[in-house]
Amino acid sequence: MRVLVIEDYAPVRGAVMTALRDEGWSADAAGDGSEGLRLAESGGYDVIVLDVMLPGIGGFDVLRALRERGVKGHVMLLTARDEVADRVQGLDLGADDYLVKPFAMEELVARVRALLRREYDKKAPMIRIGHVDIRTTDHAVFVAGEPVEFTAREYALLEYFALRVGEVVTRDDIKRHVYDDGGSLSSNVIDVYVGYLRRKLEREGHPPLIRTRRGEGYVFGSADSA
């Protein structure tokens, strides 16, 4: 999943980026409203974490511009002002969530996780696809009822597949939403990680969950869900 952080205070920006990447998400950052707006318009982000008090173009103006220009990513506002009028203004402009500073990093990550589920229409923290259960709160994965360990990168790819079950997921989709350095990533690396997932998810008596669409990408889920 791909997240953009627009925050001018470097220590907070860095801490948020670290927390998001520790979750296995692809994350980019901007230190002012102008750069944030440029990235948000071009990046196809699932969630945008947006500080209200920014130099130059303020957070509310960035949010207004994003919605006017049709950017649909979920937006979570960060602000040091816990006033009803500010919250109402942000929500009326198209924000999806609101977090007051100072905040616990665990709460920010949980709220981003909830927005990601909303983005892909997955309300519950447990995703069940065939014989695989994925618990997004702590990245636990159960295959045919047995816990299976995944690396952070493997889990990020698995969760992205699960959130887009039944859809064709292209290699470019994976580069953008799973890898921070996707622009320079070779298709072979993606194929290797898909191979890792196939081996870990494969169980006798259960149909394969990852199918290759030649020239298109991959489809995750049973044949009936494609």
Side-chain angles (χ1 to χ4, degrees):
M1 275 41 70
R2 199 164 189 216
V3 184
L4 173 63
V5 179
I6 308 175
E7 162 66 60
D8 65 309
Y9 187 48
V12 172
R13 185 172 66 246
V16 172
M17 291 288 288
T18 297
L20 296 175
R21 287 173 172 167
D22 284 348
E23 288 292 305
W25 298 326
S26 172
D28 297 325
D32 60 66
S34 297
E35 177 69 4
L37 184 58
R38 185 190 67 79
L39 287 174
E41 286 189 290
S42 63
Y45 295 94
D46 300 300
V47 174
I48 299 168
V49 179
L50 174 61
D51 186 33
V52 170
M53 302 295 291
L54 293 171
I57 303 176
F60 286 143
D61 290 329
V62 170
L63 176 58
R64 181 184 292 107
L66 291 177
R67 294 317 188 206
E68 288 176 350
R69 299 174 192 183
V71 175
K72 297 180 179 179
H74 284 73
V75 174
M76 181 171 67
L77 293 176
L78 302 179
T79 181
R81 300 182 303 189
D82 186 18
E83 297 180 6
V84 172
D86 289 329
R87 296 199 299 272
V88 169
Q89 181 180 359
L91 294 171
D92 282 346
L93 287 172
D96 300 278
D97 200 1
Y98 207 103
L99 189 58
V100 177
K101 297 178 179 179
F103 51 83
M105 199 60 67
E106 295 86 352
E107 181 178 4
L108 181 141
V109 170
R111 286 172 178 262
V112 171
R113 190 183 297 120
L115 290 176
L116 287 169
R117 292 199 302 268
R118 192 189 307 176
E119 174 76 5
Y120 292 96
D121 197 26
K122 303 289 184 183
K123 303 301 182 184
M126 181 72 84
I127 303 173
R128 173 168 293 173
I129 309 293
H131 61 287
V132 175
D133 292 303
I134 304 166
R135 195 166 63 208
T136 61
T137 51
D138 60 358
H139 299 183
V141 180
F142 303 87
V143 181
E146 297 295 326
V148 177
E149 294 293 326
F150 288 79
T151 67
R153 184 68 71 197
E154 290 168 351
Y155 176 83
L157 179 56
L158 174 61
E159 184 180 85
Y160 185 58
F161 274 143
L163 290 173
R164 294 192 55 186
V165 63
E167 302 177 20
V168 175
V169 177
T170 68
R171 288 175 175 82
D172 284 341
D173 290 334
I174 294 171
K175 287 180 181 181
R176 286 194 302 269
H177 290 268
V178 178
Y179 291 87
D180 289 313
D181 54 352
S184 60
L185 192 72
S186 71
S187 294
N188 181 61
V189 172
I190 293 174
D191 293 338
V192 168
Y193 273 91
V194 170
Y196 293 158
L197 290 190
R198 282 191 166 117
R199 287 192 289 275
K200 289 190 175 184
L201 299 177
E202 188 177 84
R203 290 295 183 275
E204 185 176 353
H206 295 281
L209 289 180
I210 303 176
R211 289 166 289 122
T212 301
R213 289 277 185 89
R214 190 172 298 277
E216 297 181 76
Y218 305 96
V219 177
F220 186 79
S222 64
D224 291 340
S225 63

